[in-house]
């Protein structure tokens, strides 16, 4: 809600903020925050409640943990917010792709791209997902130890490369993977106050990032040129992007209804980055939870055997794999890969009687809300059975929001569900997994939550 004048006068005399940690002079809570972002947010919510306030350097941050307040920011008053500073800074990598684009241009691009992610259009990719899982797990040896995080990164990279670019980059994929990793590693720095000054320094990280962008640009522009020059008709997302038009303004090039090469590059790189990392991490955490719950693993296996009868899963099987879906859903609750969404207020805004001054960042953390005992009984327990129809309908909107919400809700959600369930089903059909004992699994909040030191598992082939 935009502030009324009287309230504004009051603020100018004596601004007041919600409760929160005092932090240190100048630094605020910066050290606590960057030491352990997830732990910090959980503590702030526990100690200070649904509307809390902290500072990172000179930056003022609000943490909102009440689903109603989150809904107001993401839906009801979404026009009063832009993406946060970190995502604005991500434009230097992603340009004006969907994730970073704003305003009228975002609405237009979203309208053009949305139909591509309709179930009907992506259904064919289900076969690729199942087939690629089979190919990846064929490399596994009975009783061997592997880093399941690395495996999932490789698998989702191969899938996104195939579905987006119709390219089989097994030989090149390590190079592409490295370039993507270098870009992803840059993101936490985007959150640091004053980090824009670091961009200009000759740091090794900057050089790695520039090289990664150059490498990926070369590949993507090459693929765009290949599609534009005709030749083999491909069924990939890039071709769909290339052919996509604003249905209200077809053939209106003046209006930019078909995308320029630069816009295509930005959208493709965004989908490439968003489509790989988040899904790989969601699956890594799903297998982490499954590996510690053999009874869940057995039920998934039973379901997969009875529904698939030995064949590879497809989109049509998703509805029938209802327990597997619940497992994925519960894993996305406990380890939501996108652990927070952030917005910056354009104009002054009030929440719970507190002022959010224009320019302030508002943080809404899935990691925090998904573990709130008001919404989830025994919130830290991995319990796929909690997801009954009755439970779902009693849950407040935004008590569960792994894919965000409102006009900026994840466009790849149908793709992610299909990929998640198909990879779980295809893997558990053949394999049992156990965590290697005594390793320290530390969730690390980068763009998405990943295990800091990887995740070692022993894989056993089912007979
Ligand atoms: C488990 C997997 C995934 C999770 C948890 C996830 C989560 C999210 C979230 C929370 C947002 C909203 C960010 C915000 O409001 O600031 C988002 C946006 C987005 N996601 Fe995903 N995502 C996943 C998979 C994917 C996939 C597979 C793709 C593409 C193939 C994708 C593409 C995008 C794009 C383009 C946006 C920006 C949409 C817009 O602003 O219009 N995501 N995602």
């Amino acid at each position: 809600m935009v502030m009324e004048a009287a309230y504004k006068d009051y603020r100018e005399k004596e601004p007041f903020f919600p409760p929160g940690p005092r932090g240190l002079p100048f630094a605020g809570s910066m050290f606590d925050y960057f030491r352990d972002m997830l732990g910090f947010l959980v503590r702030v919510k526990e100690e200070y409640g649904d509307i809390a306030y902290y500072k990172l350097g000179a930056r003022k941050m609000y943490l909102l943990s009440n689903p109603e307040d989150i809904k107001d920011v993401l839906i009801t008053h979404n026009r009063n917010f832009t993406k946060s500073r970190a995502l604005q800074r991500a434009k230097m990598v992603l340009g004006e792709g969907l994730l970073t684009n704003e305003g009228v241009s975002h609405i237009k691009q979203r309208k053009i791209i949305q139909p591509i992610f309709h179930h009907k259009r992506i259904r064919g990719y289900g076969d690729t997902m199942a087939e690629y899982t089979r190919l990846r797990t064929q490399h596994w040896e009975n009783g061997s130890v592997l880093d399941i995080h690395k495996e999932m990164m490789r698998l989702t990279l191969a899938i996104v490369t195939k579905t987006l670019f119709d390219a089989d980059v097994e030989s090149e994929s390590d190079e592409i993977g490295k370039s993507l990793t270098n870009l992803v590693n840059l993101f936490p720095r985007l959150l640091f106050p004053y980090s824009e000054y670091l961009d200009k320094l000759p740091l090794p990280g900057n050089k790695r990032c520039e090289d990664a962008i150059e490498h990926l640009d070369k590949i993507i522009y090459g693929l765009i040129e290949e599609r534009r020059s005709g030749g083999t008709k491909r069924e990939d997302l890039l071709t769909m992007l290339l052919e996509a038009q604003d249905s209200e303004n077809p053939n209106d090039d003046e209006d930019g209804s078909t995308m320029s090469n630069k816009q295509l590059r930005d959208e493709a790189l965004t989908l490439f980055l968003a489509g790989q990392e988040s899904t790989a991490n969601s699956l890594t955490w799903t297998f982490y939870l499954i590996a510690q719950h053999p009874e869940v693993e057995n039920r998934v296996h039973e379901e997969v055997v009875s529904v698939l009868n030995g064949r590879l899963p497809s989109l049509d099987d998703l509805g029938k794999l209802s327990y597997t879906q619940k497992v994925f859903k519960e894993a996305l609750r406990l380890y939501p890969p996108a652990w927070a969404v952030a917005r910056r207020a354009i104009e002054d805004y009030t929440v719970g009687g507190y002022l959010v001054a224009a320019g302030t960042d508002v943080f809404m953390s899935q990691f925090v809300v998904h573990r709130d005992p008001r919404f989830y009984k025994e919130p830290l327990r991995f319990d796929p059975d909690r997801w009954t129809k009755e439970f779902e309908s009693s849950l407040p909107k935004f008590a569960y929001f792994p894919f965000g919400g409102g006009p900026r809700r994840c466009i790849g959600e149908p793709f992610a569900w299909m990929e998640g369930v198909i990879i779980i089903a295809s893997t558990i059909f053949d394999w049992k997994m156990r965590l290697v004992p005594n390793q320290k699994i530390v969730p690390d909040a980068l763009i998405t939550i990943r295990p800091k030191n990887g995740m070692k598992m022993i894989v056993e082939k089912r007979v």
Side-chain angles (χ1 to χ4, degrees):
M1 188 189 309
V2 178
M3 287 293 302
E4 284 156 23
Y7 188 77
K8 206 163 185 170
D9 289 346
Y10 171 72
R11 170 180 63 101
E12 273 153 17
K13 280 190 211 110
E14 189 177 346
F16 72 106
F17 299 103
R22 286 175 70 88
L24 300 167
F26 304 112
S29 299
M30 207 156 78
F31 296 115
D32 280 348
Y33 181 72
F34 286 108
R35 197 177 304 126
D36 171 16
M37 296 189 208
L38 300 172
F40 174 82
L41 294 175
V42 169
R43 280 195 305 279
V44 168
K45 152 76 178 70
E46 273 172 11
E47 284 175 36
Y48 302 101
D50 278 343
I51 307 175
Y53 168 83
Y54 55 93
K55 275 171 83 178
L56 298 179
R59 278 198 304 131
K60 302 180 174 77
M61 312 286 297
Y62 277 64
L63 177 66
L64 304 185
S65 306
N66 184 320
E68 271 301 310
D69 294 336
I70 296 173
K71 185 171 131 223
D72 280 347
V73 172
L74 293 183
I75 298 189
T76 323
H77 300 292
N78 78 81
R79 281 164 195 258
N80 192 44
F81 293 91
T82 59
K83 289 270 173 139
S84 65
R85 174 176 160 279
L87 271 174
Q88 287 172 12
R89 302 238 306 113
K91 282 191 181 193
M92 70 187 203
V93 175
L94 301 175
E96 300 293 337
L98 268 189
L99 201 59
T100 40
N101 204 345
E102 299 277 5
V104 181
S105 172
H106 172 262
I107 296 171
K108 179 181 160 62
Q109 284 301 112
R110 176 97 193 190
K111 210 164 85 195
I112 295 177
I113 298 173
Q114 185 81 53
I116 293 176
F117 283 93
H118 192 277
H119 279 118
K120 268 194 280 184
R121 304 283 297 272
I122 59 169
R123 66 174 305 123
Y125 299 148
D127 296 341
T128 306
M129 291 163 181
E131 181 59 19
Y132 274 51
T133 310
R134 197 181 56 81
L135 290 174
R136 179 85 245 142
T137 53
Q138 260 177 5
H139 294 292
W140 296 0
E141 276 173 31
N142 188 20
S144 64
V145 171
L146 36 91
D147 182 340
I148 199 74
H149 178 239
K150 271 204 187 129
E151 290 298 305
M152 289 302 118
M153 290 294 271
R154 283 184 174 200
L155 175 57
T156 58
L157 177 65
I159 291 173
V160 77
T161 312
K162 180 72 183 168
T163 52
L164 190 53
F165 301 133
D166 191 20
D168 270 310
V169 284
E170 267 298 307
S171 54
E172 233 198 308
S173 71
D174 278 349
E175 282 303 305
I176 294 183
K178 262 186 227 150
S179 295
L180 277 182
T181 308
N182 284 337
L183 292 185
V184 169
N185 287 344
L186 178 89
F187 273 77
R189 204 181 82 195
L190 301 179
L191 296 168
F192 276 96
Y194 317 116
S195 60
E196 37 280 66
Y197 300 108
L198 295 178
D199 298 346
K200 301 191 176 75
L201 300 176
L203 300 170
N206 289 351
K207 175 79 179 99
R208 275 200 298 275
C209 184
E210 278 163 27
D211 290 349
I213 295 174
E214 203 182 303
H215 178 222
L216 292 171
D217 274 358
K218 205 170 130 203
I219 296 175
I220 295 174
Y221 279 120
L223 292 165
I224 293 172
E225 277 315 315
E226 189 204 297
R227 301 291 184 289
R228 287 221 192 269
S229 62
T232 324
K233 173 98 175 86
R234 298 189 188 263
E235 301 283 323
D236 55 15
L237 288 166
L238 183 63
T239 306
M240 291 196 222
L241 283 174
L242 211 100
E243 290 171 352
Q245 291 206 331
D246 182 344
S247 55
E248 281 167 27
N249 301 292
N251 309 320
D252 183 359
D253 281 348
E254 283 283 287
D255 176 57
S257 298
T258 49
M259 287 178 235
S260 66
N261 280 4
K262 170 73 171 71
Q263 189 66 42
L264 274 168
R265 173 267 182 211
D266 291 351
E267 300 298 1
L269 184 57
T270 298
L271 294 177
F272 199 27
L273 203 79
Q276 194 234 349
E277 157 97 7
S278 44
T279 327
N281 285 322
S282 67
L283 285 158
T284 303
W285 294 111
T286 306
F287 287 126
Y288 169 72
L289 293 162
I290 289 179
Q292 295 170 84
H293 294 84
E295 72 290 356
V296 172
E297 191 180 61
N298 285 340
R299 279 178 67 187
V300 171
H301 184 251
E302 275 162 26
E303 180 175 85
V304 170
V305 168
S306 84
V307 171
L308 301 180
N309 207 5
R311 61 183 169 76
L312 290 175
S314 72
L315 180 68
D316 295 332
D317 298 311
L318 252 53
K320 291 175 232 150
L321 294 168
S322 57
Y323 185 69
T324 311
Q325 292 219 34
K326 285 181 184 176
V327 168
F328 191 46
K329 190 161 212 171
E330 178 71 345
L332 287 172
R333 179 183 74 81
L334 277 169
Y335 292 95
W339 48 281
V341 284
R343 294 290 186 269
R344 172 164 287 193
I346 299 171
E347 286 184 47
D348 285 357
Y349 178 80
T350 46
V351 54
Y354 295 109
L355 167 75
V356 180
T360 303
D361 283 340
V362 175
F363 231 63
M364 293 146 287
S365 168
Q366 289 93 332
F367 190 83
V368 171
V369 178
H370 291 184
R371 290 166 176 243
D372 190 325
R374 286 176 300 180
F375 313 121
Y376 301 96
K377 206 169 131 204
E378 296 184 73
L380 301 187
R381 197 156 74 89
F382 176 56
D383 178 16
D385 283 324
R386 74 171 82 234
W387 291 100
T388 60
K389 279 211 174 73
E390 302 71 52
F391 174 70
E392 289 209 39
S393 51
S394 69
L395 200 62
K397 204 173 160 67
F398 290 98
Y400 183 76
F401 62 119
F403 294 96
R408 315 274 334 209
R409 189 184 177 102
C410 178
I411 203 165
E413 184 177 347
F415 189 99
W417 274 108
M418 179 161 90
E419 189 171 9
V421 174
I422 286 180
I423 292 178
I424 299 167
S426 313
T427 309
I428 297 296
F429 180 71
D430 279 326
W431 298 91
K432 281 186 189 174
M433 295 176 168
R434 294 294 167 263
L435 275 174
V436 169
N438 302 326
Q439 57 178 323
K440 205 168 166 208
I441 306 286
V442 186
D444 193 14
L446 295 177
I447 308 183
T448 59
I449 305 180
R450 60 156 91 163
K452 193 171 198 158
N453 312 308
M455 191 181 288
K456 294 208 177 55
M457 294 226 182
I458 304 163
V459 288
E460 276 172 36
K461 185 113 174 90
R462 286 179 187 271
V463 279

